[in-house]
Amino acid sequence: MSSMFDRKKVIRRYKVVAYAMLAVGLLILVKIVYISTVKRSYWMAVASTLKRDSDTILPIRGNILSCDGRLMASSLPQYELYMDFKAGGDENEKRDSLWEASVDSICIGLHEIFPEKTAKEFKEHLEEGRKKGSRHWPVWKGRVSYNVMSEVKKLPMFRLSANAGGFHFERFNARQRPFGSLAKRTIGDLFGAKDSARYGLELSYDSILRGKIGKKKRQKVRNKFLDLDVQAPVNGADIVTTIDVNMQDLAERSLIDELKQVNGNVGVAIVMEVKTGDIKAIVNMAKCADGEYYEIKNSAVSDLLEPGSVFKTASLMVALDDGVVDTTYKVDTGSGIWDMYGAKMRDHNWHRGGYQVLTLPQTLEYSSNIGVSRIIDKYYGKNPEKFVQGLDRIGIREDLKLPIVGYAPPRIRMPKKNKRGQYTNWSKTALPWMSIGYETQVPPISTLTFYNAIANNGTMVRPRFVKAVMKDGKVIKEYPVEVIKQRICKEKTLGEIRTILEHVVSQGLGKKAGSESFKVAGKTGTAQISKGAGGYKSGTMNYLLSFVGFFPADAPRYSCIVCIQKPGQPASSGFSALVFHNIAEGIMAQSIKLDVSDARDSLSVLVPDVKSGDLNAASYVLNWLGIKTNKDWNGDYTKGNPLWGVATTSTSGVSLKQGKKCASNIVPDVKGMGARDAVYALESRGVKVRLTGRGKVAHQSLAPGNRIRKGETCILKLEI
């Protein structure tokens, strides 16, 4: 029986199929090698038009807010505008014809949006880019806002998609400061287009403000590009600073005004809240080449200068706290010049014969260099280490570790001895001069922190610049008040120092810092500024004029330091004291709550209002009511011919004045009236009113009797 299965025939067919598949496989391999080598550049170019991997998505930088939530720095989108003259392919006749038909309209539209450049100049500029075949030709030289970009995008051809028309843009998150240069060095800034902080809180809190960069892929789907987010960006958080915008503005204006008056080179002013250490205002002004003052350096936290006489408070606090002297101690200052180990120590009034014998409090009140240095040298001259240890104890040498890049801690050296017991960094004159603020380097912020501790019942708190971090309107982190030293000295010492500082202002050299409305305590300071290797004898002398203190002295709320650097004479700490006075007065005035009675119209509250009309009739009614009247007209009343006039009221009665009945289109005379009556009289005639001051109308900008013009505004100046 023969088999129905022909094995040889099947094997032969199998081999044919197998060889055919092998040949196809080899062809595929050859094609793969060919594409991956010879045609690689072509297909990579095709792939690049379909997708682009790992494009970054920039997050929105967080805001910097004032203590009451007002924007001090914020990110707003800005755009750079470009044109791609090869959009749609190298040879696109349709695009070229569209360009020829639209270019004039485009340039006219650009001129209307950017009037600085003519339509002809725009056309020449764009045609230049077209001839070069640029794919990224700038339409405008700088960045523009979203509104401007939207207007440009409405122009012919520009309104098309980037692939069809060629118009495209790049987006940037630009940093804006609504209050301009206010507290600029403290708030900080960014490097141009980069999201990279330069200085200030922008740099110190950069990791919080910056957020996290996201990633996206750009994929071409059905001839359209789609952005596919791989990782969404995380926007930065907001930081709430301690800066009070009103106090900052007040401090800046007060300091600049005085710098201009005295021809100062550098000025610093800091206002700190006593209980919390919150920096409410910080000003750093330097005179520039154009003669104006700008913030170019944060001198308040970085300037290491000899503080001068404001340091004397720390010296005497150490002595009082150690119990080596008390407030009854007396010291002989001679005729104002004293020999200190071969060097001459002088008081500021040496040319007038000096102060002779002073009590310890008087050495501060009159800022006697000789008095303070003799006390410290007598009790610490043989053991200067103990004095410097006392400075450590009261906190004046403390490293505050501030969150401001460029901050410098105080430099007050500790005496050191070698193996033979000899001082290696000390001289006999070091201690006397250190005790009055020389041979030390203390930034203004450290001096203020020490005085703030005196105001804060002896508790030293770290200066605070940022209170909280917020995200989406919610507080995610708070920065609490940090206590550096719970007590800087004994309670008895603190009370004595505070009393002395009050006397410095009330009866000493700091009178210009005082106020008639509240008590002020503080200390003046004048120091010569050394000019490097040239020392103190290198031509014209520069001076550091300071005043540091707190107010109100009996219940301190704020402490403040003002420093002015100026060349030559006159060099009086009264310049800084005056700035302190203006700042303190302004801050306290902002917090005064006016009594409700101040809002009363003093001319119409105590007696009834009397309208313009028949003066005899008005006089009859007022007399019947028992209200005194003063008639300012002559002649008798004649029936049928009434005398028209106006009546004004006061605490003493009613004054009736003759006059013509004021027409509705004539400016009335409102001088002497209260605010309410004056506003009614003017606004009832269609005149807009603006008020300044308090009390009665002393001046009106529109002259009485003139015809009223539509839309006019009358400014009324009130005086008490």
Side-chain angles (χ1 to χ4, degrees), residues 52 95 180 207 249 299 333:
R52 190 164 66 242
R95 184 206 60 212
S207 60
D249 180 58
S299 302
T333 65

Side-chain angles (χ1 to χ4, degrees), residues 589-646:
Q590 290 175 5
S591 62
I592 292 175
K593 294 182 179 179
L594 299 179
D595 191 90
V596 176
S597 61
D598 291 337
R600 294 184 305 181
D601 190 330
S602 62
L603 300 178
S604 60
V605 169
L606 302 179
V607 293
D609 291 338
V610 182
K611 305 298 182 181
S612 299
D614 189 330
L615 296 184
N616 283 320
S619 177
Y620 176 83
V621 173
L622 291 170
N623 287 328
W624 188 85
L625 292 172
I627 298 172
K628 183 181 178 182
T629 62
N630 298 314
K631 298 181 181 180
D632 288 343
W633 77 88
N634 296 318
D636 299 324
Y637 168 71
T638 305
K639 188 175 181 180
N641 184 28
L643 293 172
W644 289 93
V646 294

